[in-house]
Amino acid sequence: MAKRSVWEIGVEDVVAAGLKADQAVAFHERLRRLVGEEPREGAEADVWRAVAESGLLLPAHPHPLHQLVYYSVYATWDRSARGPPPYWFPSPINSKHTNLWKLMEHHGPKLLGSSYHDPLMSFSLFQKFSAHRPEVYWSAVIKELSVVFHEAPKSVLDTSENSKNGGAWFPGAVLNIAECCLLPIESHKRTDESVAILWRNEGSDDSPINYLSLKELRNQVMLVASAIDKIFTKEDAIAIDMPMTCTAVIIYLAIILAGCVVVSIADSFSTNEIAKRMVVAKAKGIFTQDFILRGDKKIPLYSRVIKGTSCVVIVVPAHGNDVGVQLRSHDLSWKDFLSSAGSLPSGPHYPPVYLSADCVTNILFSSGTTGEPKAIPWTQISPIRCAADSWAHLDIQAGDICCWPTNLGWVMGPIILYSCFLNGATLALYHGSPLGCDFGKFVQDASVTMLGTVPSLVKYWKSSKCMEGLDWTKIRIFGSTGEASDIDDDLWLSSRASYSPIIECCGGTELASSYIQGSLLQPQAFAAFSTPSMSTGFIIFDEQGIPYPDDQPCVGEVGLFPIYMGSTDRLLNADHKKVYFDGMPTYKGMNLRRHGDIIQRTVGNYYIVHGRADDTMNLGGIKTSSVEIERVCNRADENVLETVAVTITSRTGGPEQLVVLVVPKNRSAKCDPEFLRTKFQKAIQNYLNPLFKVSFVKVVPEFPRTASNKLLRRVLRDQLKQEYLTYSRL
């Protein structure tokens, strides 16, 4: 579709890309005025910037037209010599309104001295300063958030305790982080009348948007906290396994307000996975729904939950006021649960339970390579980290309306919740599937200004064309996380909002944040990261543990600086030191923290994630291990001797695709790969997660191994990548 340069685009090419003849002539004339009559060597970025910022390419234009112009502009761009091509550029005028610009203008001259020029020129220097002096950075940023201490901390950071690799943050502080989400804050222009949550139910797409004011949210959270107090005891672990609805958010905040601990369980999990998490967290109860509603389908949820636990289950009706299932004798309907709070004629009032900053408020889970989910405790510090990252990188401000389709069982659920409520923004929730135009219409009708995505979701939106005809121009910024992005999918997404920037985020549950992201003070490239996150330091090291020089293009494993605000200092069911620190290199006297990603630093100092150093894979934004997949597939068919699960991606990046290789028991018998794929898919859906999809199966006589019989998984992955690339060119 692309031409050898933008100057070769003719009217006939514009017509072929989807415009009518008269529109094509006008478009082509304006394009030529923007790019000039003569080709300019090395001016690709300037040309694209002129085109993108002119408004010539409209969201309503067909995607092939956007592809034609973008890929033609950058047709001669040498990525190996110049790095990824930028598509979005910060302007001094717009950048002055960002959170980081204001912070840097206030503190930059004092902290950086004569080295400071302005936020655009000095951003990288300021980021490096924040990584080496994190206590200085955090003493400034904490004042920008809606964090109210009941008892003030003695200091920002205490590194005297040797047992904590990451230091003790805000020692001596006492607070309730849920209360911080519910208080009016004058500096954020957040009053009791401010809209805290917007939502719409699937199937009500022509109805007005529902909303909850801050005062209404606080009252409902206090009512639920009062009911929790009647049934549970302080510090009890209480699970949530339901879609991320307005009610689920209220329950989440109420559990923490009451001094208890949320156990996050995704509503897609099988009974076995629910049971594992309930046992590991020692949960005393669980909130769930009777069903999950998806269009005309009613997917049972309560029946799945009770097979995984004997604890008390509190059941919220998916529709109406009454639950649609028969409950066990000791379980409670939502209506009966709320009635236990008693009558409160003067309105709900519940005194928050104040706890030290390092007390656990949430237990989340992340799969490792052992197949056993790691139980990751979040303290009251973790929400501060994720909200501050969103403040700095996604530029979430008071008045923003933020929507990120996710679940409280995944880390993005709590992250977007705290990112909104601790920054004075509105949380927008769609009670239904984000796969169709109904979700897109909600984004339009709610005037969403920040939309978060997962790359596989964007790929579906683009291929299905379900978002055509919708107005997303209120979106000023996108967020993307969970898996690797695809360049063309990002081109499509950004173009839907007149080329708003997409901030890529890569991190982990155990970090409560992303260690690499984008920034509105730097040019952005599709499917790439532009900077370490604020206050994050890391090095990239080779297979011998030797660090590459800073700013040198390279590919290697990332090692994080151990002083990382918001990161875990414990695990509930594993040795924290062994998982994150043992075997890692030392750098300038620091024992680096393991994250496990293989990343590339490109020319131009962008970053691209190349996958995992271990055997963890990322399927649809959910981290799981090859061991888990293989364990299920090995039992799926009697003729399977052993399996290996690996993931591959296309040439342009994008979500990982699951491939299962099989060695059959009876090697003389014919094995049908499609038959096995169907059996593996069914087994994975039943025993692991229905969201995991097997792309294809390959039958092989044996697996490559070392002399000591160690499986050469990387060799298999590389062979498959080569086969896939060859096939995709055909």
Side-chain angles (χ1 to χ4, degrees), residues 2-3 106 148 160 171 234 255 295 319 323 376 401 421 432 509 556 562 587 606 641 654 677 683:
K3 311 300 286 187
H106 184 69
V148 180
S160 63
K234 301 287 187 290
I255 291 172
H319 180 71
V323 296
I376 298 172
I401 299 172
F421 296 151
T509 307
Y587 176 74
Y606 289 96
L641 178 64
R677 191 194 70 80

Side-chain angles (χ1 to χ4, degrees), residues 235-255:
E235 299 183 12
D236 276 354
I238 307 169
I240 300 176
D241 184 354
M242 58 190 292
M244 190 170 174
T245 61
C246 185
T247 301
V249 170
I250 290 167
I251 293 168
Y252 182 96
L253 292 172
I255 291 172

